[in-house]
Amino acid sequence: MKFTNGVWLMRDGVRASYATEARDVVTTGETVTVHAATRAVRHRGDTLYGPVLTTHWWTPAPDVIAVRTTHFAGGRPRSPEFSLAVEPDTTAKVERVGPVVELTSGRLSLRLDTSAEWSLDFLAEGRVLTRTGRKGTGIAVTEEDRHYSVAQLSLGVGELVYGLGERFTPLVRNGQVVDIWQADAGTGSEQSYKNVPFYLTNRGYGVFVNEPGQTSFEVASEHTGRVQFSTEGQTLEYLVIYGPTPKEILSRYTALLGRPALPPAWSFGLWLSTSFTTSYDEETVTGFIEGMRDRSIPLSVFHFDCFWMREYQWCDFEWDPAVFPDPPGMLRRLHDRGLRVSVWINPYIGQKSPLFEEGLREGYLLRRPNGDVWQWDLWQPGLAIVDFTNPAARAWYSDKLRGLLAMGVDCFKTDFGERIPTDVVYHDGSDPVRMHNYYTHLFNQTVFEVLREQRGDGEAVVFGRSATAGGQRFPVHWGGDSESTFESMAESLRGGLSLGLSGFGFWSHDIGGFEGTPDPGVFKRWLAFGLLSSHSRLHGSRSYRVPWEFDEESVEVARFFTELKCRLMPYLYGAAGQAADHGWPVMRSMGFGFPDDPACDYLDRQYLLGDDLLVAPVLSADGEVEYYVPSGRWTHLVTGEPMEGPGWRRERHGFLGLPVLVRPGAVVPLGGRSDRPDYDYTRGLTLRVGWSPELTRTRTAVPTLAGETGVEFETTRTGATLTVRVVAGAAAGWRVLVVGVAAVTAVRGGTWEPHEQGVLLSATGAELSVVVAD
C-alpha cells in the first residue's frame, strides 16, 4: 500500500509518523528494546505529544534477527500466528559501546547509533546488508482512521528481490506491488493462490514478515531504493535472515517455518485426470488407462476430479452411484493395475449435500456475526465453509476422509481455500482478516495429517492449490488455472520458480493448460516441460488430456518424456531429499543455482532441475528456444552434445527435444527402469559422467524409496584416469557412461563398450578404473 505522494508529500488523508531518534535503550544478554521518538526532541515539551514507537530486537535462530515495532501495546492478542521453530542461539550477544548498541547472532548483527538519526543497520561479515534509514520505521493513519504499521528496508544498486509466493508476474519483483492476500484468479494476473510474506535478494539475505494477515509490499515501487511492507494494526514484526547464498537463506528460513515432508516416490510419476466438466464413468476411466497401457505410456496415478460426487453435493464424500455404482470394486481394479488413486475435495459444503444439515446442527460451519451460517452461491449453490478452527469440525471432516482411504483412495487433491470471507466469526475467536490467508494452512494440514496417520510417514501426499508460509510442509502444490497457450505456460513457470524461492520444495502444473483445449503443438511442448517438473499431471477443464486426443506424435512425446523421468528418478528423488532436508526446491531459478553469475539474475524461461540439470522449455510454435548456458563444458542429457559456456544459444527443436543440459563435472545417476518411478534405484544403475575439466572429485548418493542413502559413489579424475568406487552401501549391476570420450586404453574392475555418447563401462565389483584415450 502506498502512503506517500512522491518523495516529499503524503497522500491525501494520510498522516504518518516515523522513528527519528532513540530516547532510551533497555538490554538483556540477548535482547534489545528501544523507545523511539517520532519527532525531534529539543526540550521536555516535545515529549508530551506524538507517537513513541517501541522496537524490540531478538534472535529466533543463529544468523537470524527479528525486529518487532509496536505503537499501541494494549490490544488483545490476535490469532492465528505463524508457528516458528525457535532455535536457542548460544552465539547471541548484546554489546554497547558509547552511543552504539548492537545485537549479534552468528554472523549477523543489528546496530543502532543512538546519537545519530534513526537507522537500524543489518550487517554481516563487515558489510551493511540493508538498513531502515529515514522513514524506515513508522505508522500511517488514513482519513478513515485505519492504522497501519510500516517498515522500509533499503535496496543497494543492482539489488534484486525474489519470492513472495507463487507469483506469475516477472520473476524479479523490483517495481512490483505485491499484496499478500489469497485470491482465486488464475495464472494470468498479479494475484496469487499462494501468498508468502517472505522475500530474498541477490545480496545475501532474506526477510520474513511475521504477519499472517494482509500485508502489502512495495518493492522499489513507492521508493525506488527500498522495499516497503505494511500491515493494518499496531504491531509489525520482521526477521532478517542471513545466508549469504540462496541455499543457506532458504535452509534457515525453512528451518523456522518448516520443511516439506518427503513425498512418496510413486507421486513423481505421471498423473492422469478425468478433467473437470468432461463426461466420465468407470468405462471412460478404464478406457483411458488401457489406452495408456496399450501405447506403453507409464501411468502412476489416476485422479477423479469434482464430478466423482453428485452434482450440487460437493462435498458429501460419496461417489455418484449413477456413474460409479461399485466404488470399492473399481478402486480395487485400479490398484490391480498398479495405480494409485486421487480424488478431488474442497473445504466447502454445498447446501444440497447431506453434510450441510449435519454441519449446521453441530456448529461445524463458519458463521456470520449475527449467528447465521455464512453462505453464497458462487461455485456450489448455497455453499458453506468448514470451520477448521473447531477441533470437532476437523475431526468430522477427517472421518469422512478416513472412510475414503479405507475404501482404497490413496491421496487427495485439496482444491480452493482462497475465497475465505472476513465477515465471519471463528470457533476459536481467530481474527477473520488474519485467517483469510491462513485458512488454507489448516485445510491442507488437516488432510495431510489424516493421510500420514492412515498411510504412514513417507506415503502422505496432497495436490494442493492454495498455501501460505509454512504450507510447504504439506506437499505437493500445483499452479492453478492456467490457459492452454504458450504465454500461460511461461507464466506458470514463473509462478513455480517464485514459489520455490519462497520455501516450497515441490510444484506442479496442468500439462496442456487448464482452460481451453491446447493445439497439439502447445500440448506436446507442455508435455516435455511437465515431465521435467517436480510432479506431472495431465488435467484440463472441459476437454480430456489423454495424448491420443491430440495426435499420434503426442503419444510418442508422452511416452518418451515419461520414460525419461522414470529413469531420472534416482537423481530426482535425491533432489527431493534435499528439499526435505534443507528446504531447497526441486525446480530452481538459475539465480538460485548460480548466484555469482549476474547473467542468471533475470532468467525466468529456464530453470535447474535439482543441482545438475538445466532445462529450457520450448515456448514457441516453431520450436525455437533461446537460453543461457553458464560457464563450463556442459553436455546434453539425451544426445551427449557438448557446449561451452558462458553464452547464449538459440536453437530449434523437434517435439522430442529441448535443452536438457548436465552441469560441468556432474555425475547424474540414471535408474535401470523406465516403466515406473518407484523401484530399487540401486539395481541396474548407470552413472552418467561428463568428461570435462570440471570433473575432479565428487560424491553421488543414490536414495532408497524411504529417502535414505542406498548406495554412495565417489568419482575421481586424475589426468586421463577415471575412478569410480562404492564408498557406502551396495549396488547391483552398476555401470558408468562417460560422455565425450571415444575410447579407453585400460580398464580395471570392469569392461567397456562404445556408446553413442561416449563409452559405457560395466563394473564387476565395487570399484572401476579406466584410462581414457586421447
Side-chain angles (χ1 to χ4, degrees), residues 1-6 9-15 141 222:
M1 182 174 181
K2 291 183 172 68
F3 301 102
T4 58
N5 178 12
L9 304 178
M10 301 303 297
R11 295 205 166 196
D12 290 345
V14 175
R15 309 185 313 276
V141 181
E222 179 160 21

Side-chain angles (χ1 to χ4, degrees), residues 192-263:
S192 173
Y193 305 99
K194 307 171 189 66
N195 290 270
V196 180
F198 166 77
Y199 69 85
L200 69 165
T201 87
N202 62 343
R203 295 302 163 87
Y205 68 95
V207 176
F208 172 63
V209 179
N210 192 11
E211 168 58 50
Q214 185 168 19
T215 307
S216 178
F217 286 81
E218 298 287 342
V219 187
S221 50
E222 179 160 21
H223 190 294
T224 58
R226 301 173 192 171
V227 176
Q228 175 176 289
F229 38 93
S230 59
T231 188
E232 188 170 5
Q234 302 290 339
T235 300
L236 178 62
E237 179 174 271
Y238 61 90
L239 285 63
V240 174
I241 304 167
Y242 181 56
T245 67
K247 282 186 174 181
E248 291 170 300
I249 296 168
L250 277 194
S251 288
R252 293 191 174 95
Y253 168 71
T254 55
L256 287 166
L257 271 295
R259 292 182 178 139
L262 180 66

Side-chain angles (χ1 to χ4, degrees), residues 475-634:
V476 170
H477 295 84
W478 102 96
D481 296 347
S482 54
E483 297 179 346
S484 298
T485 64
F486 283 117
E487 292 78 10
S488 197
M489 185 174 160
E491 70 201 18
S492 294
L493 174 56
R494 294 195 296 269
L497 295 181
S498 183
L499 188 67
L501 291 169
S502 305
F504 285 69
F506 304 98
W507 175 80
S508 187
H509 43 98
D510 292 340
I511 293 175
F514 177 72
E515 294 288 352
T517 300
D519 67 49
V522 170
F523 181 69
K524 285 178 280 197
R525 296 301 183 188
W526 212 318
L527 274 169
F529 168 41
L531 285 157
L532 287 168
S533 298
S534 155
H535 285 71
S536 310
R537 184 179 70 159
L538 292 163
H539 180 66
S541 177
R542 296 180 296 276
S543 57
Y544 302 125
R545 289 293 181 268
V546 288
W548 53 91
E549 287 277 317
F550 299 90
D551 57 27
E552 282 306 306
E553 189 177 32
S554 295
V555 172
E556 185 181 3
V557 172
R559 181 191 310 116
F560 178 84
F561 284 104
T562 306
E563 290 180 345
L564 176 62
K565 187 173 190 184
C566 290
R567 286 211 65 204
L568 278 169
M569 277 304 297
Y571 169 79
L572 291 175
Y573 214 47
Q578 291 181 339
D581 293 341
H582 305 291
W584 305 339
V586 173
M587 297 176 67
R588 308 169 183 178
S589 74
M590 294 296 295
F592 182 89
F594 293 90
D596 296 325
D597 186 343
C600 293
D601 286 347
Y602 286 87
L603 300 181
D604 58 14
R605 297 196 302 273
Q606 62 186 82
Y607 59 95
L608 292 174
L609 188 61
D611 278 328
D612 297 324
L613 293 183
L614 185 161
V615 181
V618 177
L619 301 167
S620 63
D622 61 4
E624 186 170 279
V625 58
E626 186 177 50
Y627 64 100
Y628 174 75
V629 181
S631 178
R633 183 180 299 171
W634 297 70

Side-chain angles (χ1 to χ4, degrees), residues 162-401:
Y162 306 90
L164 297 175
E166 179 193 46
R167 318 217 75 85
F168 306 106
T169 50
L171 184 65
V172 174
R173 299 275 90 88
N174 294 50
Q176 298 181 29
V177 178
V178 177
D179 289 319
I180 302 299
W181 191 249
Q182 309 287 63
D184 173 9
T187 65
S189 78
E190 81 284 358
Q191 298 179 27
S192 173
Y193 305 99
K194 307 171 189 66
N195 290 270
V196 180
F198 166 77
Y199 69 85
L200 69 165
T201 87
N202 62 343
R203 295 302 163 87
Y205 68 95
V207 176
F208 172 63
V209 179
N210 192 11
E211 168 58 50
Q214 185 168 19
T215 307
S216 178
F217 286 81
E218 298 287 342
V219 187
S221 50
E222 179 160 21
H223 190 294
T224 58
R226 301 173 192 171
V227 176
Q228 175 176 289
F229 38 93
S230 59
T231 188
E232 188 170 5
Q234 302 290 339
T235 300
L236 178 62
E237 179 174 271
Y238 61 90
L239 285 63
V240 174
I241 304 167
Y242 181 56
T245 67
K247 282 186 174 181
E248 291 170 300
I249 296 168
L250 277 194
S251 288
R252 293 191 174 95
Y253 168 71
T254 55
L256 287 166
L257 271 295
R259 292 182 178 139
L262 180 66
W266 54 260
S267 71
F268 288 76
L270 182 59
W271 298 46
L272 175 62
S273 166
T274 58
S275 290
F276 172 32
T277 60
T278 53
S279 177
Y280 53 84
D281 54 16
E282 184 176 358
E283 183 179 357
T284 310
V285 170
T286 302
F288 286 166
I289 293 168
E290 290 181 346
M292 299 290 278
R293 181 202 62 196
D294 293 344
R295 292 165 176 84
S296 300
I297 303 173
L299 186 63
S300 296
V301 182
F302 193 86
H303 170 71
F304 292 86
D305 217 54
C306 313
F307 282 97
W308 69 273
M309 291 179 279
R310 288 163 289 189
E311 61 188 25
Y312 298 126
Q313 296 194 189
W314 311 336
C315 282
D316 65 358
F317 306 103
E318 297 286 342
W319 294 84
D320 184 346
V323 289
F324 299 112
D326 179 23
M330 179 184 66
L331 295 176
R332 184 173 60 252
R333 289 185 284 274
L334 293 177
H335 286 151
D336 289 344
R337 294 175 180 270
L339 296 173
R340 309 285 179 148
V341 176
S342 164
V343 298
W344 176 96
I345 59 174
N346 72 184
Y348 311 141
I349 307 294
Q351 183 169 292
K352 190 173 182 292
S353 167
L355 299 187
F356 179 85
E357 183 63 33
E358 187 177 339
L360 175 66
R361 182 178 67 251
E362 300 296 334
Y364 297 157
L365 307 176
L366 277 182
R367 294 184 178 271
R368 297 182 184 274
N370 66 1
D372 294 342
V373 167
W374 191 97
Q375 291 181 263
W376 69 355
D377 287 328
L378 189 60
W379 186 236
Q380 285 289 280
L383 75 77
I385 301 172
V386 177
D387 184 352
F388 286 108
T389 72
N390 183 343
R394 292 183 74 164
W396 172 69
Y397 195 93
S398 298
D399 279 343
K400 307 303 178 184
L401 304 183

Side-chain angles (χ1 to χ4, degrees), residues 57-67 89 91-95 102-111 120-131 203-207 238-244 249 252 256:
W57 316 349
W58 63 290
T59 173
D63 293 313
V64 182
I65 292 178
V67 176
D89 184 3
T91 70
K93 62 180 180 180
V94 175
E95 293 182 316
E102 184 169 287
L103 169 63
T104 298
S105 171
R107 296 165 295 168
L108 179 66
S109 296
L110 174 55
R111 179 184 298 166
L120 301 180
D121 296 345
F122 293 89
L123 305 97
E125 302 181 280
R127 67 185 179 97
V128 175
L129 297 174
T130 186
R131 57 167 52 100
R203 295 302 163 87
Y205 68 95
V207 176
Y238 61 90
L239 285 63
V240 174
I241 304 167
Y242 181 56
I249 296 168
R252 293 191 174 95
L256 287 166

